[in-house]
Amino acid sequence: QVQLVESGGGLVQAGGSLRLSCAASGRTYSSSAMGWFRQTPGKEREFVAAITWRGGDTLYADSVKGRFAISRDNAKTTVYLQMNSLKPEDTASYYCGATERFYSTTTDGYRYWGQGTQVTVSL
Protein backbone atom coordinates (compact mmCIF):
# COMPACT_ATOMS: atom_id res chain seq x y z
CA GLN A 1 0.00 0.00 0.00
CA VAL A 2 1.31 3.48 -0.92
CA GLN A 3 -0.22 6.80 0.09
CA LEU A 4 0.52 9.87 -2.03
CA VAL A 5 0.06 13.58 -1.29
CA GLU A 6 0.82 16.20 -3.92
CA SER A 7 1.70 19.83 -3.19
CA GLY A 8 3.30 22.84 -4.80
CA GLY A 9 0.62 23.87 -7.23
CA GLY A 10 -0.50 27.45 -7.65
CA LEU A 11 -0.94 30.39 -9.98
CA VAL A 12 2.02 31.45 -12.11
CA GLN A 13 2.53 33.66 -15.13
CA ALA A 14 3.49 32.20 -18.49
CA GLY A 15 7.23 31.62 -18.63
CA GLY A 16 7.45 31.03 -14.90
CA SER A 17 8.34 27.94 -12.92
CA LEU A 18 6.81 25.72 -10.27
CA ARG A 19 8.03 22.62 -8.48
CA LEU A 20 5.48 20.01 -7.55
CA SER A 21 6.13 17.50 -4.80
CA CYS A 22 4.57 14.12 -4.20
CA ALA A 23 5.16 12.81 -0.68
CA ALA A 24 4.79 9.07 -0.42
CA SER A 25 4.37 6.72 2.48
CA GLY A 26 3.99 3.00 2.65
CA ARG A 27 6.12 -0.09 2.60
CA THR A 28 6.38 -0.44 -1.16
CA TYR A 29 7.33 3.14 -2.07
CA SER A 30 11.02 2.45 -2.52
CA SER A 31 10.30 -0.21 -5.11
CA SER A 32 7.63 1.77 -6.93
CA ALA A 33 7.97 3.54 -10.23
CA MET A 34 6.30 6.94 -10.09
CA GLY A 35 4.50 9.03 -12.66
CA TRP A 36 2.98 12.47 -13.03
CA PHE A 37 -0.23 12.98 -14.98
CA ARG A 38 -2.47 15.97 -15.52
CA GLN A 39 -6.14 16.49 -16.19
CA THR A 40 -8.41 19.32 -17.25
CA PRO A 41 -12.21 19.32 -16.88
CA GLY A 42 -13.92 17.10 -19.42
CA LYS A 43 -10.70 15.49 -20.60
CA GLU A 44 -8.94 12.27 -19.77
CA ARG A 45 -5.93 12.23 -17.50
CA GLU A 46 -2.81 12.50 -19.62
CA PHE A 47 0.74 11.36 -19.06
CA VAL A 48 3.38 13.96 -18.20
CA ALA A 49 6.48 12.19 -16.86
CA ALA A 50 7.62 9.00 -15.15
CA ILE A 51 10.65 7.73 -13.28
CA THR A 52 11.86 4.27 -12.34
CA TRP A 53 12.19 3.28 -8.72
CA ARG A 54 15.93 3.82 -8.70
CA GLY A 55 15.61 7.06 -10.62
CA GLY A 56 17.91 5.95 -13.40
CA ASP A 57 15.36 6.15 -16.17
CA THR A 58 12.88 8.88 -16.94
CA LEU A 59 10.25 9.39 -19.60
CA TYR A 60 8.43 12.53 -20.73
CA ALA A 61 5.48 13.47 -22.85
CA ASP A 62 6.54 15.33 -25.98
CA SER A 63 4.57 18.38 -24.86
CA VAL A 64 6.78 18.88 -21.78
CA LYS A 65 10.12 17.50 -22.94
CA GLY A 66 12.90 20.00 -22.33
CA ARG A 67 10.75 22.08 -19.95
CA PHE A 68 9.83 19.66 -17.15
CA ALA A 69 12.07 17.41 -15.10
CA ILE A 70 11.05 14.54 -12.84
CA SER A 71 13.25 13.41 -9.98
CA ARG A 72 12.98 11.49 -6.76
CA ASP A 73 14.61 11.51 -3.37
CA ASN A 74 14.08 8.08 -1.90
CA ALA A 75 15.52 9.15 1.44
CA LYS A 76 12.69 11.67 1.69
CA THR A 77 10.23 9.36 -0.13
CA THR A 78 9.32 12.26 -2.37
CA VAL A 79 9.03 12.67 -6.10
CA TYR A 80 9.35 16.08 -7.72
CA LEU A 81 8.24 17.65 -10.96
CA GLN A 82 10.18 20.78 -11.83
CA MET A 83 8.19 22.75 -14.37
CA ASN A 84 9.92 25.57 -16.26
CA SER A 85 8.84 27.81 -19.12
CA LEU A 86 5.24 27.20 -18.21
CA LYS A 87 2.54 27.83 -20.79
CA PRO A 88 -1.20 28.47 -20.38
CA GLU A 89 -1.84 25.04 -21.89
CA ASP A 90 -0.04 23.49 -18.91
CA THR A 91 -2.97 24.58 -16.72
CA ALA A 92 -4.45 21.44 -15.15
CA SER A 93 -4.76 19.39 -12.00
CA TYR A 94 -1.57 17.40 -11.59
CA TYR A 95 -1.61 13.92 -10.06
CA CYS A 96 1.15 11.55 -9.08
CA GLY A 97 0.79 7.81 -9.34
CA ALA A 98 2.76 4.84 -8.07
CA THR A 99 3.16 1.32 -9.38
CA GLU A 100 5.12 -1.72 -8.28
CA ARG A 101 5.61 -2.56 -11.95
CA PHE A 102 7.78 -0.78 -14.50
CA TYR A 103 6.76 2.78 -15.25
CA SER A 104 3.95 3.39 -17.69
CA THR A 105 2.50 6.20 -19.77
CA THR A 106 -1.07 5.08 -19.17
CA THR A 107 -3.25 5.59 -16.11
CA ASP A 108 -4.10 1.90 -15.83
CA GLY A 109 -0.41 1.24 -15.27
CA TYR A 110 -0.59 2.86 -11.84
CA ARG A 111 -2.21 1.38 -8.79
CA TYR A 112 -2.05 4.31 -6.36
CA TRP A 113 -2.95 7.96 -6.85
CA GLY A 114 -2.80 11.19 -4.91
CA GLN A 115 -5.58 13.75 -4.66
CA GLY A 116 -4.00 16.20 -7.10
CA THR A 117 -2.72 19.76 -7.01
CA GLN A 118 -3.94 22.59 -9.24
CA VAL A 119 -1.58 24.46 -11.55
CA THR A 120 -2.85 27.57 -13.29
CA VAL A 121 -0.70 29.43 -15.82
CA SER A 122 -1.87 32.91 -16.80
CA LEU A 123 -0.87 34.99 -19.80
Side-chain angles (χ1 to χ4, degrees):
Q1 187 82 14
V2 178
Q3 295 79 42
L4 305 171
V5 179
E6 302 95 335
S7 62
L11 174 64
V12 64
Q13 287 188 326
S17 298
L18 281 176
R19 188 176 80 158
L20 305 184
S21 299
C22 175
S25 60
R27 292 191 307 167
T28 58
Y29 163 79
S30 60
S31 61
S32 297
M34 305 290 292
W36 283 98
F37 286 71
R38 65 188 181 187
Q39 189 171 23
T40 54
K43 294 189 176 181
E44 293 187 353
R45 197 168 291 188
E46 67 170 4
F47 171 74
V48 175
I51 188 167
T52 54
W53 71 274
R54 286 182 174 177
D57 291 302
T58 57
L59 190 64
Y60 296 94
D62 288 343
S63 59
V64 306
K65 202 172 294 183
R67 300 188 297 121
F68 291 12
I70 188 171
S71 61
R72 67 189 296 163
D73 183 338
N74 287 344
K76 296 182 178 179
T77 66
T78 300
V79 176
Y80 303 99
L81 184 68
Q82 178 66 44
M83 306 187 296
N84 300 324
S85 302
L86 282 161
K87 304 175 182 179
E89 51 263 45
D90 295 318
T91 295
S93 293
Y94 283 72
Y95 299 86
C96 69
T99 175
E100 290 97 344
R101 298 181 290 177
F102 199 69
Y103 62 26
S104 172
T105 61
T106 62
T107 55
D108 58 7
Y110 294 83
R111 182 176 181 183
Y112 307 104
W113 292 94
Q115 84 292 344
T117 185
Q118 177 67 34
V119 172
T120 303
V121 184
S122 64
L123 288 169

